[in-house]
Amino acid sequence: EKETVSKVLVFHTEQRPEITAQVGEGATLRLACVQLLPADKAYAGAVTITAADQANVYYTAVEAGAGQSVTRLQVNLDGEGAAADVAALYFGDQNRKLDLNYIITQTGRNTEANMQVRGALKDTSDKIFRGTLDFRHGSKGSTGKEKEEVVLLNEGVRNRSVPLMLSHEDDVNGQHAVS
């Protein structure tokens, strides 16, 4: 519904959750997902959010559990003036393995995307983060920013960061960085 604000906090207790949301014209979704499963469990989660005209998406994730964790986030900014603000925190320790794949697809005109991911790795943990900003045909006037910051707490960790920006449109402004 127009101008509706929904706030949802999800603590993942399942090992294979899937969340799908449609954010209607002018509406706002604030979704926070926290994954704190025990280290002896594996986790594979997927979140898909589609935003209509003037819709706002605020997504926050915490990845700090499960011995093996695979997470996929897909945000589709289909409507004109739709916006997404994605913030994620992760922590890898012991021999924990993290696989994070975050994609924001911008199809609507004048959309705005912001992806901020921060984390720390220690011991022999292994992390790969794939962050994609995809400016599709028709996304004229859209902007997108992606930034990942990772702190390596010792030499035994493995960190891989793969920022990717795709553009099928000429009038867009995209930025990405890893540090």
Side-chain angles (χ1 to χ4, degrees):
E1 242 179 88
K2 248 185 182 179
E3 299 185 24
T4 299
V5 177
S6 298
K7 298 177 184 176
V8 181
L9 174 60
V10 178
F11 283 92
H12 291 296
T13 56
E14 298 177 35
Q15 291 176 265
R16 299 178 83 70
E18 288 189 30
I19 298 171
T20 302
Q22 303 282 334
V23 185
E25 182 178 343
T28 298
L29 172 64
R30 295 180 182 277
L31 174 62
C33 294
V34 180
Q35 188 276 107
L36 297 172
L37 289 174
D40 65 338
K41 301 289 182 188
Y43 172 83
V47 176
T48 303
I49 303 169
T50 302
D53 290 351
Q54 304 304 317
N56 293 294
V57 174
Y58 299 92
Y59 176 80
T60 303
V62 176
E63 294 284 342
Q68 290 191 343
S69 180
V70 178
T71 303
R72 182 176 190 276
L73 170 68
Q74 173 73 54
V75 178
N76 302 308
L77 299 179
D78 289 349
E80 183 170 348
D85 193 359
V86 173
L89 297 172
Y90 61 83
F91 180 69
D93 65 345
Q94 300 172 12
N95 62 349
R96 192 175 315 267
K97 295 186 182 341
L98 295 155
D99 185 334
L100 309 171
N101 187 14
Y102 288 15
I103 303 161
I104 300 178
T105 301
Q106 296 175 251
T107 305
R109 293 174 67 89
N110 301 310
T111 60
E112 186 176 328
N114 182 31
M115 185 187 309
Q116 300 286 323
V117 178
R118 293 185 172 96
L121 301 171
K122 71 178 220 174
D123 303 323
T124 59
S125 59
D126 182 347
K127 185 270 312 175
I128 183 166
F129 170 70
R130 296 172 201 87
T132 303
L133 294 175
D134 188 356
F135 295 97
R136 296 278 174 93
H137 181 73
S139 63
K140 280 191 181 298
S142 295
T143 61
K145 296 177 184 173
E146 173 197 350
K147 184 174 184 182
E148 183 197 8
E149 296 176 28
V150 59
V151 176
L152 307 179
L153 298 172
N154 61 282
E155 290 184 23
V157 301
R158 182 173 185 205
N159 175 58
R160 290 162 291 161
S161 299
V162 186
L164 180 61
M165 193 171 333
L166 305 171
S167 183
H168 304 274
E169 194 59 74
D170 59 356
D171 182 22
V172 295
N173 181 358
Q175 303 170 24
H176 61 87
V178 175
S179 64

